[in-house]
Amino acid sequence: MIDFEFHQANDLDHAFALLADYGDDARLMSGGTALVLQMKQRFSQPGHVIGLRRIPGLGSIEETGDGAVRIGALCTQRQVETHPLVTQRLPLVAGAYRHVATPRIRNMATVGGGLAHGDPNQDPPPSLIALGASVVLSSAGGEERLVGAEDLFVDYFETDVRPGEIITGLVAPPAPEGSGAAYLKFLPRTADDYATVSVAVVITTDEAGNCGDIRIVLGSVGLTPIRAAAAEDALRDQPLTDETIRAAAATVLDAVDPLEDHRGSTEYKREMAEVFTRRAVRQAMANAGLV
């Protein structure tokens, strides 16, 4: 690993000042689980690392006035997984974070660090996108910018975090009343590995029992998490039968664009995306008491 200078930010103003001083030669670090690995592998070689872990006010989880849950960027992933407010109001999010690596990693990795990393193979983003969550981006002078989780990821390991901005929180609304949600992760290897494919689904039904609204988001099958809009359109306002679910899931074959790696070939991942979309929709229905 290359030599670098470490700077511990005492508060947000200090962090913004350090970013202004060192510019493109600086990287932010909270938990360090991703950045340290990148530096060891020389994928990232900053001359300055700015530590955020001691910044006050970014490690809490609380309900907002409109019933959503705001999660501070410095909350550990283990904290999100186990916090009563998250498990009660956002069980889909708690479950997704529970799938990340191992407890040892989740006790160090932070919510903000994971989002800033921009890895399309991570577990939480599909569920956050399916719920319509937003990411809070702060900049000097107390300005905040709210970006939908769906819009945060713009390319492979690239996000919409602008120079001088720091992710300070995550705001997630609960799933609609009476809805069902599911997150499925296909693991061909060990339980702490990234997925070959992952799928998050949130579904509601109308009075006739047809699909009212649905959001389907896939991970690990493209350069970013992928919203399966065609599959959603194929199911919306339709009866939830095996036939309609199969037809909708078949449309994800054209939506995904997997990279071949040791977790599977491009074609295999494409096929598993269809299979696990079907399974996730049915699991979401079961969780809503529809089957």
Side-chain angles (χ1 to χ4, degrees), residues 246-265:
R246 283 185 173 276
T251 67
V252 306
L253 294 172
D254 295 325
V256 302
D257 186 20
L259 298 175
E260 183 168 345
D261 57 23
H262 60 277
R263 299 180 188 91
S265 66

Side-chain angles (χ1 to χ4, degrees), residues 229-284:
E232 295 172 356
D233 291 341
L235 281 174
R236 200 171 285 116
D237 301 323
Q238 298 299 312
L240 292 165
T241 64
D242 283 346
E243 182 180 358
T244 59
I245 293 171
R246 283 185 173 276
T251 67
V252 306
L253 294 172
D254 295 325
V256 302
D257 186 20
L259 298 175
E260 183 168 345
D261 57 23
H262 60 277
R263 299 180 188 91
S265 66
T266 296
E267 189 56 36
Y268 180 67
K269 290 183 179 182
R270 197 183 301 275
E271 292 177 5
M272 289 300 100
E274 178 183 4
V275 169
F276 274 80
T277 296
R278 290 200 309 265
R279 293 182 182 179
V281 171
R282 291 185 178 122
Q283 185 62 57

Side-chain angles (χ1 to χ4, degrees), residues 92 175-182 201-205 213-215 280-281 283-290:
L92 181 63
E177 186 175 352
S179 64
V201 173
V202 177
I203 187 171
T204 59
T205 56
D213 194 19
I214 186 168
R215 293 170 70 98
V281 171
Q283 185 62 57
M285 291 170 58
N287 291 343
L290 301 176

Side-chain angles (χ1 to χ4, degrees), residues 16-278:
F16 290 131
L18 289 167
L19 277 176
D21 287 344
Y22 300 114
D24 293 339
D25 198 28
R27 290 291 304 274
L28 300 172
M29 184 175 75
S30 48
T33 55
L35 180 59
V36 170
L37 182 60
Q38 287 183 328
M39 292 171 66
K40 285 182 176 180
Q41 296 173 335
R42 295 185 179 270
F43 292 141
S44 181
Q45 301 184 46
H48 301 268
V49 174
I50 302 169
L52 305 178
R53 205 60 182 261
R54 295 182 186 173
I55 293 178
L58 300 183
S60 62
I61 298 175
E62 55 193 8
E63 188 173 358
T64 65
D66 58 359
V69 177
R70 178 161 178 151
I71 301 170
L74 293 182
C75 290
T76 67
Q77 297 186 356
R78 177 69 171 168
Q79 185 179 352
V80 175
E81 168 196 352
T82 59
H83 196 281
L85 187 58
V86 180
T87 57
Q88 293 167 14
R89 301 297 304 278
L90 304 171
L92 181 63
V93 173
Y97 275 101
R98 195 172 297 122
H99 278 89
V100 177
T102 64
R104 179 179 296 179
I105 295 296
R106 297 196 296 273
N107 276 317
M108 287 296 299
T110 63
V111 169
L115 292 171
H117 188 41
D119 190 335
N121 300 302
Q122 294 182 86
D123 292 291
S127 293
L128 296 172
I129 294 171
L131 283 174
S134 297
V135 178
V136 183
L137 299 166
S138 298
S139 53
E143 295 183 7
E144 285 189 348
R145 186 167 65 97
L146 208 61
V147 176
E150 185 172 357
D151 300 317
L152 180 69
F153 306 95
V154 297
D155 207 339
Y156 195 53
F157 285 92
E158 289 187 26
T159 68
D160 189 36
V161 180
R162 299 170 183 171
E165 288 185 329
I166 297 175
I167 294 178
T168 53
L170 169 69
V171 181
E177 186 175 352
S179 64
Y183 174 70
L184 297 184
K185 176 181 181 179
F186 176 46
L187 283 160
R189 302 177 66 190
T190 59
D192 60 345
D193 195 8
Y194 280 137
T196 294
V197 60
S198 63
V199 187
V201 173
V202 177
I203 187 171
T204 59
T205 56
D206 59 23
E207 294 181 355
N210 295 330
C211 178
D213 194 19
I214 186 168
R215 293 170 70 98
I216 303 171
V217 187
L218 296 98
S220 300
V221 285
L223 301 182
T224 66
I226 294 172
R227 178 93 179 265
E232 295 172 356
D233 291 341
L235 281 174
R236 200 171 285 116
D237 301 323
Q238 298 299 312
L240 292 165
T241 64
D242 283 346
E243 182 180 358
T244 59
I245 293 171
R246 283 185 173 276
T251 67
V252 306
L253 294 172
D254 295 325
V256 302
D257 186 20
L259 298 175
E260 183 168 345
D261 57 23
H262 60 277
R263 299 180 188 91
S265 66
T266 296
E267 189 56 36
Y268 180 67
K269 290 183 179 182
R270 197 183 301 275
E271 292 177 5
M272 289 300 100
E274 178 183 4
V275 169
F276 274 80
T277 296
R278 290 200 309 265

